[in-house]
Amino acid sequence: MSAEKGPVIFVDDDEDLLRAAKQMLELACFFPILFRSAETALARIDKDFEGPVVSDIRMPGMNGLQLFERVKAIDPDIPVVLITGHGDVELAVAAIKDGAYDFISKPYATERLLETLHRASEKRHLVLENRRLKDAAARSAGDMPLIGEAPAMKRLRKTLRQIADTNVDVLVEGETGTGKEVVAELLHRWSKRRTKPFVALNCGALPESIIESELFGHEAGAFTGAQRRRIGRIEHSNGGTLFLDEIESMSPPLQVKLLRVLETRQITPLGTNETRSIDLRVVAATKVDLADPATRRDFREDLYFRLNVVKLRIPPLRERHEDIPALFGHFLERASKRFGQPEQEMTAAVRDHLMGHNWPGNVRELVHFADRVALGLEPALETLVVSTGKSGAAPSQSLAEKVRRYEATVIREALQEHCGDVQQVIEKLRIPRKTFYDKLKRHGISSADYREDRECSKAS
């Protein structure tokens, strides 16, 4: 069965024609909303109406052209399709110039009307989606990439607010590009420490020979080349927040020294026996599961437990596909301003790519894609969803991949609808319990996320 294409308001004073239109629209998987007068149709139309409006021109009382003018005043982006008799063609053409979506002469072919409504519905869907993206970006007020209505993101935002003003150390887990440093910055910004330094250090980016000096500092003459005293990152973050990215890359000897700092809140710079007390919060980030000995490897277990006072996990984009359009809308708007480009809106081809791609680089990859779109460096966006076999074009998804993504979407929607109630979901989907749990594991979906969704809790 074809997917539901959304609502269509159909206005005509001919009751027989309305009955035929209802049958035609339902067979084409539209949701018809029928009215015998323009006045009653207007009461159903607002700026959030999700589909096109079809109206005969000649009707008693308010005619179709007057209805079009009233709809345009409510929202000029609602597509209005006018049905015209032979003598009304000139009027309809004038309405097209004034912003009407299309006109169709009587007697009209069913295929012609349905094709027009399909395009009009798609246009309306994109207009509303772009508006939602702009609203979401405005509400975020710079708290990116934490835009999102996925249950895991709602819970993450709530937890950040809860712990921001505490002095507990935090371990942030997430794949490359998910936004671990952004989370650390938000913890700092939302805390009382925000007036003091936020100091970031990538443990995997500095050579082993200098990282100890970078962290702890040194006195003049502590080693060859140390001509003057240097304040280390730990001491510089006194009163503020120290962010240690890729903590799993830290060498075992340095781990011992960091563990002591965490336990005593004191440091001893290289070249001196003097200890200095410090007041800091440590936020450490890792892209591996440090709780698993196999992935932790030579990372000290005692240091892991010392850092793991509070552990936050940032989900990858593939686990929150519903949030991708809002993120992209924010990044596209930001990129357009940065590059001095005209404001852009998401097209159907871009949307298909956003929802069909796996985003292994997560938010960072999405940012770069938005930059390219803003700069016009994706010249044929249609090739993003159609495999051309040419170099540089993204390959189309296999049938198996499309089925997998569709299945995951259906499961997430069912969990959202039933607030994570597994029994209700398996009854709705008509699958055995074991099969359902196998699918949850395969798609990386947690039913608990939907039970803990605050919005769901309010509804229930």
Side-chain angles (χ1 to χ4, degrees):
M1 182 180 291
S2 300
E4 176 68 59
K5 293 186 176 71
V8 174
I9 285 180
F10 202 104
V11 189
D12 199 297
D13 61 322
D14 187 327
E15 192 166 347
D16 291 336
L17 192 148
L18 279 182
R19 279 197 297 267
K22 179 176 185 293
Q23 183 178 28
M24 170 190 67
L25 292 170
E26 287 177 341
L27 287 173
C29 295
F30 287 102
F31 176 67
I33 306 172
L34 310 178
F35 296 97
R36 292 190 62 185
S37 74
E39 291 86 351
T40 54
L42 267 177
R44 179 66 174 78
I45 301 170
D46 58 28
K47 63 183 180 59
D48 296 319
F49 181 66
E50 297 179 350
V53 175
V54 182
S55 177
D56 192 9
I57 285 186
R58 294 193 177 273
M59 293 183 297
M62 183 185 296
N63 63 37
L65 293 174
Q66 292 169 324
L67 174 61
F68 161 61
E69 291 296 333
R70 295 286 295 274
V71 170
K72 187 170 68 170
I74 294 170
D75 184 350
D77 290 321
I78 294 177
V80 176
V81 178
L82 298 170
I83 305 295
T84 69
H86 178 71
D88 299 322
V89 172
E90 288 187 11
L91 293 175
V93 170
I96 291 290
K97 293 179 180 178
D98 199 28
Y101 185 77
D102 201 355
F103 74 90
I104 298 177
S105 299
K106 294 179 179 178
Y108 56 79
T110 298
E111 293 78 9
R112 165 82 166 86
L113 177 59
L114 291 177
E115 180 185 355
T116 298
L117 292 179
H118 175 76
R119 287 186 284 105
S121 294
E122 177 72 10
K123 177 186 177 182
R124 183 61 178 165
H125 178 79
L126 286 171
V127 164
L128 292 178
E129 190 163 12
N130 277 293
R131 287 180 186 173
R132 286 192 290 268
L133 299 186
K134 291 177 181 177
D135 289 344
R139 288 195 306 270
S140 72
D143 291 348
M144 296 302 297
L146 298 186
I147 275 180
E149 296 306 309
M153 296 306 294
K154 290 180 179 179
R155 191 168 62 252
L156 177 60
R157 289 194 297 267
K158 178 182 177 182
T159 303
L160 287 175
R161 291 288 188 185
Q162 288 175 330
I163 67 173
D165 251 345
T166 65
N167 284 321
V168 296
D169 295 329
V170 179
L171 181 64
V172 183
E173 288 186 357
E175 295 178 6
T176 298
T178 50
K180 297 185 287 295
E181 184 166 355
V182 174
V183 166
E185 288 176 341
L186 285 178
L187 279 172
H188 179 73
R189 190 195 315 166
W190 291 346
S191 76
K192 295 174 184 175
R193 297 176 174 271
R194 58 185 170 271
T195 59
K196 299 295 184 178
F198 174 83
V199 180
L201 178 69
N202 189 317
C203 300
L206 291 176
E208 190 65 36
S209 58
I210 67 169
I211 190 171
E212 185 172 358
S213 174
E214 283 289 324
L215 272 175
F216 298 96
H218 62 257
E219 296 297 313
F223 51 85
T224 303
Q227 297 178 356
R228 59 175 65 91
R229 181 185 179 217
R230 176 182 175 82
I231 300 296
R233 301 289 183 94
I234 296 177
E235 188 173 0
H236 181 54
S237 64
N238 189 29
T241 303
L242 175 66
F243 175 59
L244 299 176
D245 199 7
E246 296 189 27
I247 189 77
E248 72 276 6
S249 303
M250 184 175 284
S251 68
L254 207 55
Q255 292 177 38
V256 176
K257 294 187 177 184
L258 177 61
L259 178 60
R260 179 166 178 77
V261 170
L262 295 177
E263 290 174 340
T264 66
R265 259 35 185 191
Q266 294 180 331
I267 62 163
T268 304
L270 297 175
T272 180
N273 292 323
E274 175 191 354
T275 60
R276 299 171 189 164
S277 296
I278 50 171
D279 168 31
L280 80 162
R281 167 193 244 171
V282 175
V283 180
T286 176
K287 59 179 179 291
V288 302
D289 182 5
L290 293 179
D292 183 355
T295 54
R296 186 171 66 233
R297 302 176 69 180
D298 59 358
F299 193 84
R300 294 179 61 94
E301 186 178 34
D302 52 0
L303 178 55
Y304 164 67
F305 286 125
R306 185 61 189 78
L307 288 168
N308 189 30
V309 181
V310 174
K311 180 161 67 174
L312 303 175
R313 178 181 178 271
I314 308 177
L317 282 185
R318 65 179 176 276
E319 291 182 11
R320 54 181 186 118
H321 259 73
E322 64 267 42
D323 292 340
I324 292 175
L327 283 162
F328 174 77
H330 170 82
F331 294 136
L332 182 61
E333 181 180 11
R334 191 178 69 177
S336 297
K337 290 178 180 176
R338 188 169 75 251
F339 300 134
Q341 299 295 316
E343 186 174 345
Q344 308 225 16
E345 294 194 340
M346 185 169 59
T347 65
V350 170
R351 186 188 61 197
D352 289 345
H353 177 63
L354 292 175
M355 304 308 290
H357 186 53
N358 204 38
W359 301 105
N362 292 295
V363 175
R364 186 176 300 140
E365 181 184 0
L366 186 62
V367 170
H368 295 162
F369 176 67
D371 287 349
R372 294 196 303 274
V373 172
L375 289 169
L377 299 180
E378 297 288 351
L381 288 171
E382 290 75 15
T383 63
L384 293 173
V385 291
V386 180
S387 177
T388 63
K390 296 180 181 179
S391 175
S396 62
Q397 290 179 278
S398 66
L399 177 61
E401 178 66 11
K402 290 179 180 177
V403 170
R404 187 189 73 80
R405 291 196 179 284
Y406 178 72
E407 181 179 76
T409 299
V410 169
I411 291 173
R412 288 191 177 97
E413 289 176 350
L415 284 166
Q416 184 72 44
E417 178 184 351
H418 296 289
C419 297
D421 188 313
V422 170
Q423 184 59 40
Q424 292 184 31
V425 172
I426 62 178
E427 288 175 1
K428 175 183 176 66
L429 300 180
R430 300 178 191 174
I431 58 176
R433 183 177 292 267
K434 182 180 184 305
T435 302
F436 175 71
Y437 280 112
D438 287 343
K439 291 181 184 297
L440 289 185
K441 184 176 180 181
R442 183 184 313 139
H443 297 303
I445 300 172
S446 169
S447 59
D449 286 347
Y450 296 84
R451 290 195 294 273
E452 296 171 12
D453 184 351
R454 280 187 297 167
E455 296 302 320
C456 224
S457 300
K458 289 178 185 177
S460 59

